[in-house]
Amino acid sequence: MSVLLAARGVRKAFGTTDALRGADLEVRDGEILAVMGPSGSGKSTLLHCLAGIFPPDEGEVWFDGNRVDRLSEAGRTALRRTAFGFVFQFGQLVPELDALDNVALPLLLGGVRRGEAYAQAANWFPRLGLSELEHRRTGELSGGQAQRVALARALAVRPKVIFADEPTGSLDTLTGEQVMDLLVDVAREEGATVIIVTHDARVAAYADREVVVRDGLVSDFRAAAR
Ligand code: ADP
Ligand code: ADP
């Protein structure tokens, strides 16, 4: 499989804190990768650099043969909206909107017409075990339901890459497993590449491969069994 995403010699500092000190990572097309490591080691910063949320201070970030670090802010925003989906621990849904509105939102932001956006959004609900919940406000959903809506929202633009930062961090073990099962199954069906930041070995066990971030550097850890 070819390399879809890469960080090469990526450095990023926040004030006097060196969050990344020359991080190297290659992610292959279709791979499910777990990024592990202690708290404060630079995992989220690496994810944010790869996803074009902010540029590195030094080094290169590549996506699909293009330099993400050379894009303007507008270019990075366009890339995120079209090619990437995001799942975070919590807080990414608009609680006052219903579930369907939340899933349609990234499509509407991407310029998809209203009827088409809602039709595409609605398709995800049965697929993610969310039938009948389309018109529930997301603030009224259970944690697992909300995370599955977040997953639908991330998938709505049919992203090449899904970035997940502690996607089960706010869930109990069983609910977390259900969300991970869905994430991995749907990503494989869609051919999406997935990068999961987690400190939970049970979550990392879903990945094809695991890397560890320590003190702002990445090291290969193991090839997962599955
Ligand atoms: P992890 O995700 O592994 O917990 P982070 O990438 O969030 O690590 O953080 C790496 C280091 O950078 C930590 O020391 C953290 O405190 C610091 N850091 C991260 N983001 C910011 C920020 N926006 N402002 C200041 N320091 C930050
Ligand atoms: P609101 O401001 O409450 O979203 P709307 O009239 O835009 O008011 O939407 C009412 C409901 O219909 C919402 O729950 C939304 O999810 C749904 N909805 C809006 N537009 C469409 C559409 N084109 N197709 C299907 N459902 C839609």
Side-chain angles (χ1 to χ4, degrees), residues 97-98 100-101 114-116 118-119 134-135:
L97 293 182
D98 74 18
L100 187 61
D101 286 331
R114 194 170 169 78
E116 178 62 24
Y118 276 92
E134 287 88 342
H135 297 300

Side-chain angles (χ1 to χ4, degrees), residues 14 17 19 38-46:
F14 298 101
T17 304
S39 179
S41 59
K43 302 182 295 297
S44 295
T45 305
L46 178 63

